[in-house]
Amino acid sequence: MFVTVPRSSSAPPPGVGQQAGPAWTEAPYPVLVSDRHGHLVRLNDAARLVLPDAVSGGRLSEQVPAWLADAHQRTIAAPAQGTSAELPHGAIGERYFEARITLSGGDVVWWLVDATDRRVAERALGDARRRSEVLSEASSTLLSTLNVPRCMEVAAALAAEHLAEAAVLIAPPQGRRCSLTYACQGDPVVQTSRQVDVTGVPGLREALQGFPPVPARWINPDDIPDWAIPDGFAGSVGSVIVAPLPGHGVPAGALILLRSSTEQAFTEGEEVFARLFAARAGAALSAARLYTEQATITATLMQDLLPPTLRTVHGVEYAGSYRTSKDHERVGGDFYDVHPGADPSEETLVVLGDVAGKGLDAAVLTGKIRNTLHALLPLAEDHQHILNLLNSALLTSHHTRFATLALASVQRRGGRTQLRLTSAGHLPPLIVRTDGTVEEAGTRGTLVGALPAVTARTVGTVLAPGETCLLYTDGVTEARGGPLGDELFGEDRLKRALAECVGMPGEAVVERVQMLAAQWLRDGRHDDMAVMAITAPKAGPLNTADGHASGGTTRRSGW
């Protein structure tokens, strides 16, 4: 629509006025015409509805809002800018307008386009985009940690930053106490545990039980107790939201959002947004708590599966090392144990085993074997008998795996260390003598948990001072590596390595074997590796210090 208005004229020109006048005066857009001196020349009916006090002949600056008067002055001063891409805009009453300009001679025609609805839509779209970004940030930030206190701290800080002036996160009560996390904009987050009365906050008890939230308009800010207000909160409470934190099956807590009396009260849209945020925070907190519980259970169960720490027991030195097939795992299918006798006159039972397979399934069977052997300690004088009892226990279980074992009964007598060695399907122990000779113990036997009965041969030997008996699993000898990556480490290479360990402490022997095997592997795949050394002391009196890692029981020596 275009109107030509002659300069300094209060009526349309002859001919043009009669043709364009009705369309101009009845246009749905408010139209104002001003001369170059800033006087309002004419306005149509739509403009009179928007500006009821405006009259022709008066100064434009006195009859229109300041933003339109300023735009008119700029246009008169620099007419070339009247067609710039940025349109003048501003409020007139409760509506929002954009002004479009038409220049005709020395007069200026202003068309006012109502942009209120578009501006509301743009503002709503911007709010939705901002809230979506906040929820995305909350999800990624909260789910980046599985530490419960840290997750509570992040949730409260994000809520105070994006939803309110202050936030208080309440964890489910533990007895009479609650874990509280306080956050205020610009202040550090504070976490504490205290005894509080949750019934003092309207809707809080219901939120902690997982019930739907109470609308903010139903909560009287004056009813909020002091414990629910962070110390850094300025002024009195003006608006409150109490939102539940839904979890996985059970509530994860509740969130209190606070605004001061000087701030805008929470709108219905903000309440909905708060619930969406609370849902994200509750899911993250629930996941963190579930992980913590599972990690605690795993750590408790792991204590009985981890290899024990070995030291000197009744004057004999014990050392061991264990490496799982995967570096991120802590337990697997190989194991070793030392069960000391009640006193130096009793034998110490040493067990090293290898369960078929690896990973968690093998570790579970490993734990069962170790517990069963511990229960059979009173019968440990007879290796054959204890192996058959263990075999029966495995055959009657739901496990389909088998195991190999090496048993050693150790006792110090008169400065000599006496050993009884039995292999049940396991690699025979190797004995490093003081002259550099590496002997293979002559014990052989069948697998445990595979056949109706176990047959095994027990042999006896004596360790002179400084000599070592090495027990190991096939993860060492079957380590595949070398220059081309396809050669086994092998028993011969292991014996040559042990020959270089003459006179070394048991701990050094074990470390040397594991180091050579690891170098042989480089980055290749491998099975679990367990190595254990029994070393006779070089000199000194019998040491009765008990450094065992698992309990023993009184047994009679078979010597």
Side-chain angles (χ1 to χ4, degrees), residues 444-531:
R444 296 289 187 277
T446 57
L447 301 172
V448 179
L451 301 173
V454 176
T455 58
R457 178 189 177 193
T458 300
V459 298
T461 188
V462 175
L463 296 181
E467 294 183 339
T468 296
C469 176
L470 187 77
L471 310 180
Y472 58 97
T473 60
D474 58 7
V476 176
T477 55
E478 295 180 5
R480 191 175 295 276
L484 300 179
D486 59 352
E487 185 179 356
L488 298 180
F489 188 74
E491 294 184 22
D492 291 340
R493 190 171 281 104
L494 175 60
K495 291 178 181 179
R496 290 197 296 271
L498 290 176
E500 300 172 355
C501 298
V502 175
M504 294 174 59
E507 197 169 317
V509 175
V510 168
E511 185 175 348
R512 173 70 173 169
V513 171
Q514 285 281 30
M515 181 187 68
L516 292 175
Q519 291 177 345
W520 185 258
L521 282 168
R522 296 183 181 177
D523 297 328
R525 298 176 60 184
H526 62 91
D527 198 356
D528 297 334
M529 297 182 185
V531 181

Side-chain angles (χ1 to χ4, degrees), residues 1 3 24 27 29-33 42-44 46-47 109-112:
M1 182 182 295
V3 175
W24 182 82
Y29 299 104
V31 181
L32 300 95
V33 181
R42 194 173 183 185
L43 67 165
N44 67 351
V109 181
W110 290 101
W111 302 82
L112 303 181

Side-chain angles (χ1 to χ4, degrees), residues 2-13 16 20 24 31-35 41-42 102-111:
F2 182 80
V3 175
T4 301
V5 180
R7 235 165 66 181
S8 303
S9 173
S10 59
V16 176
W24 182 82
V31 181
L32 300 95
V33 181
S34 174
D35 61 22
V41 177
R42 194 173 183 185
T102 301
L103 301 178
S104 176
D107 293 337
V108 180
V109 181
W110 290 101
W111 302 82

Side-chain angles (χ1 to χ4, degrees), residues 310-318 338-350 409-418 534-537 540-548 550-555:
L310 304 181
R311 290 169 293 189
T312 299
V313 177
H314 298 330
V316 179
E317 180 184 348
Y318 299 92
V338 174
H339 303 279
D343 55 61
S345 65
E346 302 293 336
E347 289 181 328
T348 293
L349 178 65
V350 178
S409 292
V410 186
Q411 186 179 29
R412 284 287 306 278
R413 279 191 177 181
R416 291 156 43 101
T417 303
Q418 299 176 337
I534 305 170
T535 303
L542 179 63
N543 185 357
T544 59
D546 189 345
H548 63 83
S550 57
T553 186
T554 303
R555 299 186 300 274

Side-chain angles (χ1 to χ4, degrees), residues 250-495:
V250 295
L255 183 66
I256 300 177
L257 301 176
L258 306 172
R259 281 183 179 173
S260 68
S261 57
T262 59
E263 291 290 326
Q264 181 181 359
F266 290 109
T267 64
E268 291 186 8
E270 288 173 328
E271 283 193 70
V272 173
F273 178 52
R275 294 171 195 171
L276 293 175
F277 177 88
R280 306 289 179 94
L285 275 170
S286 183
R289 287 198 179 98
L290 181 61
Y291 172 81
T292 301
E293 291 175 2
Q294 292 179 339
T296 302
I297 293 173
T298 300
T300 301
L301 297 176
M302 190 78 71
Q303 295 303 315
D304 288 335
L305 297 177
L306 292 174
T309 301
L310 304 181
R311 290 169 293 189
T312 299
V313 177
H314 298 330
V316 179
E317 180 184 348
Y318 299 92
S321 177
Y322 180 57
R323 178 181 179 183
T324 58
S325 59
K326 298 179 180 179
D327 293 337
H328 66 273
E329 295 179 345
R330 300 181 63 193
V331 296
D334 291 4
F335 67 95
Y336 54 78
D337 272 314
V338 174
H339 303 279
D343 55 61
S345 65
E346 302 293 336
E347 289 181 328
T348 293
L349 178 65
V350 178
V351 182
L352 182 138
D354 183 0
V355 173
K358 48 193 172 183
L360 182 59
D361 291 339
V364 171
L365 183 55
T366 294
K368 180 173 183 178
I369 292 175
R370 293 175 66 185
N371 290 334
T372 303
L373 287 173
H374 194 278
L376 296 176
L377 285 178
L379 307 176
E381 292 180 356
D382 187 344
H383 289 183
Q384 179 70 50
H385 187 41
I386 198 173
L387 289 172
N388 276 313
L389 291 175
L390 176 61
N391 186 68
S392 298
L394 295 182
L395 291 176
T396 56
S397 70
H398 67 278
H399 296 283
T400 58
R401 300 173 184 267
F402 58 85
T404 65
L405 291 177
L407 305 180
S409 292
V410 186
Q411 186 179 29
R412 284 287 306 278
R413 279 191 177 181
R416 291 156 43 101
T417 303
Q418 299 176 337
L419 277 70
R420 288 189 298 115
L421 303 172
T422 303
S423 172
H426 201 82
L427 296 169
L430 299 177
I431 302 171
V432 184
R433 301 298 184 183
T434 53
D435 60 358
T437 303
V438 178
E439 299 178 0
E440 184 178 294
T443 174
R444 296 289 187 277
T446 57
L447 301 172
V448 179
L451 301 173
V454 176
T455 58
R457 178 189 177 193
T458 300
V459 298
T461 188
V462 175
L463 296 181
E467 294 183 339
T468 296
C469 176
L470 187 77
L471 310 180
Y472 58 97
T473 60
D474 58 7
V476 176
T477 55
E478 295 180 5
R480 191 175 295 276
L484 300 179
D486 59 352
E487 185 179 356
L488 298 180
F489 188 74
E491 294 184 22
D492 291 340
R493 190 171 281 104
L494 175 60
K495 291 178 181 179

